[in-house]
Amino acid sequence: DVVLTQTPPTLSATIGQSVSISCRSSQSLLHSNGNTYLNWLLQRPGQPPQLLIYLVSRLESGVPNRFSGSGSGTDFTLKISGVEAEDLGVYYCVQSTHAPWTFGGGTKLELK
Amino acid sequence: QVQLKESGPGLVKPSETLSLTCTVSGFSLTSYHVSWVRQPPGKGLEWMGVIWGDGSTAYNSALKSRLSISRDTSKSQVFLKMSSLKTEDTATYYCAGILRYWGQGVMVTVSS
């Protein structure tokens, strides 16, 4: 099974600060069809997860453009350019290239 | 408007079988996949399995021997059945359509 390793596990930020979260895969997430099925989710406290980014860098509809995704192969990054209070919660990367799909362990973003 | 809603018992005894239903609206089960994801209290997300638009399935390796996902397209429902429940199966169970649309989740406690 693919193992996704997220770092850091916890991130403390001030409002307006830019932060990055890393997601590293134990094997390439490039599918034979040429797509890379690496997604980012945010789970706010007490809420179900919501999709932020899919296919590495495509912004989900309605998600602010301060969120961006990048990477290829086995190394991926989620960047938030100017944290806002509503961004607090736990971020997960999830791969759907290889069955079984797998989640990263999560990164908790909290206010400093 | 797409909606997914999980339903099922809140309390199940150890060794029994859990049956959950995900009722979908505004979303074609024959066109898009639906996953089940669970989250133990205070812990991260765990992908359980998926049923694709063509009805094929894939499962988490660790749960495969106990888990079954099926659907009734005429009722727009997806089903999860997991046997031989243990206390560590206590979690909130979510269904998710193409990882974009999520239900609110149903909390299931496994206890005698």
Side-chain angles (χ1 to χ4, degrees):
Chain A
D1 297 359
V2 173
V3 176
L4 297 182
T5 302
Q6 275 185 248
T7 54
T10 304
L11 198 47
S12 295
T14 56
I15 300 300
Q17 182 180 350
S18 291
V19 298
S20 293
I21 300 169
S22 169
C23 178
R24 290 191 170 169
S25 175
S26 60
Q27 58 184 273
S28 175
L29 298 183
L30 177 63
H31 194 278
S32 57
N33 65 10
N35 289 326
T36 299
Y37 296 96
L38 189 283
N39 315 281
W40 290 95
L41 309 175
L42 165 61
Q43 187 176 32
R44 297 185 176 96
Q47 296 294 314
Q50 72 167 105
L51 182 64
L52 298 176
I53 302 263
Y54 62 99
L55 293 174
V56 179
S57 60
R58 299 192 185 181
L59 200 63
E60 174 65 359
S61 176
V63 173
N65 60 12
R66 63 179 178 273
F67 291 93
S68 62
S70 63
S72 64
T74 60
D75 286 347
F76 303 92
T77 301
L78 174 71
K79 183 177 181 180
I80 310 172
S81 300
V83 168
E84 299 193 5
E86 65 182 22
D87 302 338
L88 304 183
V90 182
Y91 291 81
Y92 295 94
C93 55
V94 52
Q95 68 84 21
S96 48
T97 294
H98 303 289
W101 301 0
T102 46
F103 282 92
T107 296
K108 185 176 183 180
L109 177 61
E110 54 189 25
L111 275 181
K112 189 181 292 183
Chain B
Q1 183 182 0
V2 176
Q3 290 188 320
L4 291 85
K5 185 172 184 178
E6 306 88 350
S7 58
L11 180 64
V12 185
K13 289 182 168 53
S15 80
E16 292 188 343
T17 295
L18 172 66
S19 295
L20 297 177
T21 299
C22 174
T23 301
V24 176
S25 59
F27 182 89
S28 170
L29 293 182
T30 58
S31 298
Y32 302 108
H33 57 75
V34 173
S35 292
W36 285 94
V37 175
R38 69 178 181 176
Q39 184 171 39
K43 296 191 176 180
L45 300 171
E46 179 183 30
W47 183 78
M48 300 182 72
V50 63
I51 186 163
W52 294 91
D54 65 1
S56 62
T57 55
Y59 299 110
N60 179 311
S61 301
L63 302 175
K64 194 172 185 177
S65 63
R66 302 193 288 138
L67 185 61
S68 173
I69 297 174
S70 61
R71 70 184 185 185
D72 183 336
T73 56
S74 67
K75 294 183 179 180
S76 292
Q77 292 180 324
V78 177
F79 309 106
L80 176 147
K81 287 191 189 305
M82 189 162 68
S83 61
S84 304
L85 284 185
K86 310 166 191 176
T87 55
E88 50 263 44
D89 293 316
T90 293
T92 297
Y93 288 75
Y94 296 100
C95 59
I98 54 174
L99 294 181
R100 172 172 291 153
Y101 308 107
W102 290 73
Q104 286 300 307
V106 59
M107 177 66 194
V108 175
T109 300
V110 182
S111 174
S112 55

